Amino acid sequence: MVSFDGRAPGTPVETWEADPRLLALPPLDGAVDPATVSRLVVLAAHPDDETLGAGGLIADAAARGLPVTVVVVTDGAASHPGSSTDAESLVATRAEEARVAVGLLGHDVELVRWAVPDGAVREARAEVTERLRPLLPWPDGVLVAPWSGDGHRDHRVLGEIAAELVDEAGVAAPRLLQYPIWLWHWGSPDHPDVPWSSMRLLPLDAAADAAKRSALAAYASQRRPLSSAPEDAAVLHPVFERHFARGREVFVVDGHETAGPAGRAAATEATFDRTHARRADPWRVTTRWYERRKRALTLASLPRERYGHVLEVGCSIGVLTGDLAPAADRLLALDVSSVAVQAARERLANLPHVTVEQADAARDYPAGTFDLVVLSEVGYYLAPDAFGRLVDSIVDGLADDGDVVACHWLQPEGDFRQGADDVHARLGADPRLHRVSHHVEDDFVLDVFSRDPRSVAQRTGLR
């Protein structure tokens, strides 16, 4: 069970240090070398994240004379749920603690505070993205953010925003480092979500270690009780806090250390592998009535009773694939996750006309002509430019009377690269496609596009 209660001890430092992989991690090289790095920008979801995760790196950079900016995104007001402490007072306290802590890391470190409501980074995603864009450390800088796999929503979303901006910048992008915090609490060395191959170790010299310890001590509201009430207990349990006072820091470089589509695809694959490895049915598509009903509506929307060659992009564990199979002579199902592909193959093993392959359709679209292409809950995981390329590939490979079915969740989620409306608008904007049907509810939109502009009644000779 993943826990984000820092008042609980979590996994002890000794458990992590008993694994020889930790101290054998490759070193983090060149992150604050003034000869090659122009600037360091460190993002913190909450006041103290910057010190916990990257305080030593900040201190080292400042000591070398490197310009450093620390951006604290939220006001930190939700650190003590249920507390009787006035929220305005707590916000002011945490702001002052951040000012002192960052000053202890380096006298010339710039502190930027945005005061987004604590816990609402996902809701403020667009605002945060736009405010961060002009602060990116162009062109030879380093951007440091919370690790997007940390689990905590604010950390995850801020890490994703940083990664998206780096992707968007292309060859001119700054280097991206991400620091885990909650991983040390809920994780353990053998947990499947630990990104061992992407982790780098930064040993701290005595000066950087001392600066970090002093900065951490400045966050008294997190380290000591606000009052004797249980809900005012210290947020950082001493066992948890020890992870951040051990003379080293760990950063995740993931696929963004090597810029380009291949690195980004690997990161996406790893993300969905972790999702499917944690649960056999991550989105409960086999048990939720909502999901079963949505699949029935998807099948009922098909303009034709039967198709020759069908492609499903993003098949996950193959539940919709199995429902589509009776309407297809041949069905190719794709997913970026090897874990999902294996599960889908097992589920569909008795259907010889169904093939399941691991592939990123946005990068490596399958050859051939398809009579039907199905995009269910997949388009918004792609950045707009990548999705645009996918749409072009789909339409280029679509039969003269071929259909495209798209169904997407309308509510915002932290890991979406764009909204469902954007996905469906891009499909509708292709002049080669005609919208045959449109079904919208509060929670999802279901559209059928086709090269054939005729209605189902016209196709079947009713008019």
Side-chain angles (χ1 to χ4, degrees):
M1 178 68 68
V2 175
S3 169
F4 302 112
D5 183 1
R7 292 170 292 190
T11 306
V13 169
E14 290 77 11
T15 300
W16 284 97
E17 292 185 338
D19 193 300
R21 289 174 292 184
L22 183 64
L23 295 182
L25 287 172
L28 178 69
D29 293 325
V32 292
D33 182 355
T36 56
V37 178
S38 61
R39 183 174 164 221
L40 185 73
V41 175
V42 179
L43 309 182
H46 312 98
D48 78 357
D49 287 343
E50 80 296 328
T51 299
L52 293 169
L57 181 70
I58 294 169
D60 190 9
R64 292 168 181 254
L66 199 66
V68 182
T69 298
V70 173
V71 181
V72 179
V73 174
T74 77
D75 58 15
S79 64
H80 292 74
S83 173
S84 60
T85 302
D86 177 72
E88 188 174 332
S89 173
L90 183 57
V91 167
T93 296
R94 299 205 68 186
E96 176 61 15
E97 289 174 343
R99 185 191 67 78
V100 172
V102 169
L104 290 168
L105 293 175
H107 295 301
D108 296 324
V109 176
E110 178 188 21
L111 174 62
V112 177
R113 293 180 56 253
W114 287 345
V116 170
D118 195 346
V121 177
R122 184 178 73 176
E123 289 74 14
R125 186 178 191 125
E127 173 194 348
V128 171
T129 301
E130 290 310 308
R131 295 179 73 176
L132 177 57
R133 184 173 279 112
L135 295 179
L136 287 181
W138 309 94
D140 301 315
V142 176
L143 179 63
V144 185
W147 178 46
S148 56
D150 218 25
H152 189 289
R153 191 175 76 162
D154 282 348
H155 291 206
R156 173 172 60 85
V157 175
L158 188 55
E160 289 169 353
I161 291 171
E164 288 167 8
L165 288 171
V166 168
D167 281 351
E168 178 185 289
V171 294
R175 184 183 187 186
L176 175 65
L177 306 175
Q178 296 191 337
Y179 55 85
I181 290 180
W182 287 102
L183 170 68
W184 310 119
H185 188 271
W186 55 256
S188 61
D190 293 326
H191 195 288
D193 286 357
V194 180
W196 283 111
S197 63
S198 302
M199 296 169 91
R200 300 293 182 267
L201 188 67
L202 177 67
L204 304 181
D205 63 24
D209 185 46
K212 176 170 180 168
R213 290 172 186 266
S214 296
L216 184 55
Y219 284 105
S221 69
Q222 309 302 293
R223 302 178 65 249
R224 294 196 293 270
L226 297 180
S227 75
S228 59
E231 56 270 20
D232 283 342
V235 173
L236 285 172
H237 190 284
V239 171
F240 185 29
E241 185 179 335
R242 286 184 58 212
H243 288 283
F244 310 104
R246 53 187 178 179
R248 60 182 176 273
E249 291 173 343
V250 174
F251 296 88
V252 178
V253 298
D254 208 29
H256 296 278
E257 275 292 85
T258 52
R264 294 191 290 274
T268 302
E269 176 188 337
T271 299
F272 284 106
D273 274 349
R274 290 193 293 267
T275 298
H276 286 93
R278 280 196 295 265
R279 289 183 292 274
D281 183 3
W283 294 280
R284 294 171 57 191
V285 297
T286 60
T287 57
R288 283 181 172 144
W289 165 240
Y290 167 84
E291 296 289 351
R292 298 200 307 273
R293 173 179 174 269
K294 185 182 66 177
R295 286 199 303 278
L297 288 167
T298 301
L299 294 170
S301 74
L302 298 179
R304 289 160 57 181
E305 187 174 6
R306 190 159 188 88
Y307 291 87
H309 200 185
V310 175
L311 172 66
E312 182 188 5
V313 178
C315 67
S316 185
I317 60 175
V319 178
L320 177 59
T321 318
D323 290 341
L324 290 167
D329 293 336
R330 290 181 297 152
L331 198 164
L332 173 60
L334 307 178
D335 202 277
V336 296
S337 167
S338 60
V339 179
V341 165
Q342 182 59 36
R345 285 173 175 168
E346 293 174 2
R347 180 182 299 277
L348 305 166
N350 64 334
L351 299 173
H353 68 298
V354 176
T355 302
V356 184
E357 295 182 357
Q358 182 184 6
D360 180 352
R363 294 179 56 240
D364 189 17
Y365 194 78
T369 300
F370 296 95
D371 303 293
L372 171 67
V373 178
V374 178
L375 300 167
S376 181
E377 312 294 359
V378 66
Y380 35 50
Y381 289 115
L382 297 171
D385 57 343
F387 184 70
R389 292 192 298 271
L390 175 60
V391 172
D392 288 338
S393 297
I394 289 172
V395 183
D396 288 344
L398 199 61
D400 290 341
D401 59 349
D403 301 321
V404 179
V405 176
C407 184
H408 290 87
W409 174 249
L410 283 168
Q411 303 305 321
E413 293 290 343
D415 50 357
F416 289 174
R417 309 290 293 278
Q418 57 182 323
D421 289 337
D422 300 315
V423 169
H424 287 241
R426 176 61 181 84
L427 284 162
D430 193 298
R432 297 167 292 176
L433 293 178
H434 308 272
R435 184 179 267 108
V436 173
S437 66
H438 176 64
H439 176 87
V440 63
E441 301 184 6
D442 284 347
D443 296 315
F444 72 93
V445 57
L446 170 62
D447 277 320
V448 178
F449 301 92
S450 181
R451 278 185 174 270
D452 185 347
R454 297 176 300 163
S455 70
V456 176
Q458 289 175 310
R459 295 186 190 196
T460 56
L462 291 179
R463 70 179 182 91

